[in-house]
Amino acid sequence: MKQKVIIYTQETCSPCFAEKEWLTSKQIPFEERDIRKNPQYMNEVIDLGASATPVTVIMDGESKNIVLGFKQDELESLLQLG
């Protein structure tokens, strides 16, 4: 089953920009949710237990993994890139 990647971001977040660039360079499709443009996305981030962006949600079938911050090693492992 194909993984679904959602990244919660905001415009002024340089780690968000870096992660989006990294995901794009790895040809990983993702859905971006800007928490400043949609209040519902802010609520979703809070519900995930996060207080800063980026927050990445990787869904694979029944499993859901959450990565707080841009942690390239953790993302590579979850996305099975290494």
Side-chain angles (χ1 to χ4, degrees), residues 8-77:
Y8 292 89
T9 66
Q10 52 188 322
E11 284 183 21
T12 58
C13 169
S14 46
C16 297
F17 181 77
E19 183 173 337
K20 290 186 295 182
E21 288 285 304
W22 180 80
L23 287 168
T24 300
S25 76
K26 298 291 184 183
Q27 299 179 347
I28 305 290
F30 61 92
E31 176 185 339
E32 181 178 4
R33 296 185 177 180
D34 189 323
I35 65 170
R36 299 291 180 192
K37 293 181 179 174
N38 185 330
Q40 178 58 38
Y41 295 158
M42 173 71 88
N43 292 333
E44 290 173 16
V45 165
I46 292 167
D47 289 344
L48 291 169
S51 59
T53 53
V55 177
T56 308
V57 178
I58 301 169
M59 291 179 283
D60 192 356
E62 295 295 314
S63 69
K64 178 164 87 171
N65 294 287
I66 300 164
V67 180
L68 305 178
F70 177 31
K71 297 179 181 151
Q72 187 172 324
D73 290 345
E74 189 173 346
L75 290 167
E76 282 181 354
S77 174

